[in-house]
Amino acid sequence: DAVKIGVRDLGWALAKSVRGATTVSASLAICTAAGLPVFVTGGIGGVHRGSRHDISSDLPALGSNPVCVVASGIKSVLDVDATLEALETRGVAVIGYQTDTFPVFYSASSRWTVTARVDSVHDVAQSFLESRALGLSQSTLIVNPVPAADSLDEIAVEEWVLEATAEADNRGIAGKSLTPFLLSHLHEASGGATLRANLSLIENNARLGARIARTLNELSQ
């Protein structure tokens, strides 16, 4: 009976003791309120394809919460170009951890580049601390590619996305139901490979996030 809870839903969800799962935007608000400096997720939300007015609340939240966020880019079903532009507009640094390219969730590399690259956890932590010292309110987005062994071919994933999008259009699926439908289609088309990649990247991100948190604690001593 859990419901999806974005940042806009936090007030009434708390007031009504609603059982739910928080999106990136809600999680960032909670991190800021609780003073937690590091947050890990699979991928952030972004701008939906075909509609630059359909923008995830994750993006403004990243622009207004000073948290170090570890993610494997954004899901391939979204508009990467528009999402990166939106992050730039909001002053969010997109830093690649041991990568020069922007990962697209299931695929470790892509044709898009990151704002900057760092190769050590110490540099990640130091970059975040420097932004905090300046009083910046934006998140520091650390993009961590899915491990190579579980990375899927970007071209194949794009073909599955186009098939899923066409099917969604035929069925009239839109709004909140769209992304779950697309991800379900990708799971079937890939023979379960997208789920394996998803589990792999979130575990990898959790390990990196834990190392960052420990390093931040050491540097703050």
Side-chain angles (χ1 to χ4, degrees):
D1 59 346
V3 298
K4 180 179 179 180
I5 297 178
V7 66
R8 68 178 182 179
D9 308 308
L10 283 174
W12 69 263
L14 288 168
K16 295 293 186 179
S17 298
V18 172
R19 182 190 305 275
T22 55
T23 65
V24 170
S25 66
S27 298
L28 285 175
I30 293 170
C31 284
T32 298
L36 299 175
V38 181
F39 168 64
V40 172
T41 186
I44 64 168
V47 181
H48 282 262
R49 296 190 184 196
S51 175
R52 294 205 169 190
H53 297 292
D54 189 353
I55 302 172
S56 170
S57 60
D58 292 355
L59 298 183
L62 285 163
S64 58
N65 289 280
V67 178
C68 183
V69 179
V70 180
S72 295
I74 66 170
K75 293 181 175 65
S76 310
V77 298
L78 301 172
D79 187 327
V80 181
D81 280 315
T83 299
L84 288 174
E85 288 175 5
L87 288 169
E88 180 181 2
T89 298
R90 290 165 174 79
V92 178
V94 180
I95 300 177
Y97 179 69
Q98 299 181 350
T99 181
D100 295 307
T101 63
F102 183 75
V104 281
F105 206 63
Y106 304 123
S107 304
S109 62
S110 71
R111 62 183 176 85
W112 293 278
T113 58
V114 292
T115 307
R117 170 179 175 148
V118 295
D119 291 303
S120 72
V121 172
H122 181 276
D123 285 346
V124 171
Q126 195 63 51
S127 298
F128 175 67
L129 290 175
E130 293 292 353
S131 68
R132 292 300 305 273
L134 289 170
L136 301 180
S137 60
Q138 296 91 338
S139 294
T140 298
L141 177 60
I142 307 298
V143 289
N144 187 35
V146 59
D150 298 300
S151 179
L152 303 182
D153 180 71
E154 183 188 358
I155 296 176
V157 173
E158 178 64 15
E159 291 177 353
W160 298 332
V161 169
L162 293 176
E163 292 172 0
T165 302
E167 182 65 21
D169 288 341
N170 290 335
R171 298 191 188 186
I173 299 173
K176 288 186 176 181
S177 301
L178 179 59
T179 297
F181 173 82
L182 296 177
L183 297 181
S184 176
H185 184 98
L186 292 180
H187 174 68
E188 295 178 5
S190 68
T194 55
L195 177 58
R196 290 191 291 274
N198 198 340
L199 293 173
S200 176
L201 67 87
I202 192 62
E203 290 174 358
N204 192 45
N205 290 349
R207 283 191 291 269
L208 177 58
R211 293 173 62 201
I212 294 170
R214 183 174 62 187
T215 303
L216 284 171
N217 183 62
E218 291 171 351
L219 291 174
S220 300
Q221 298 302 316

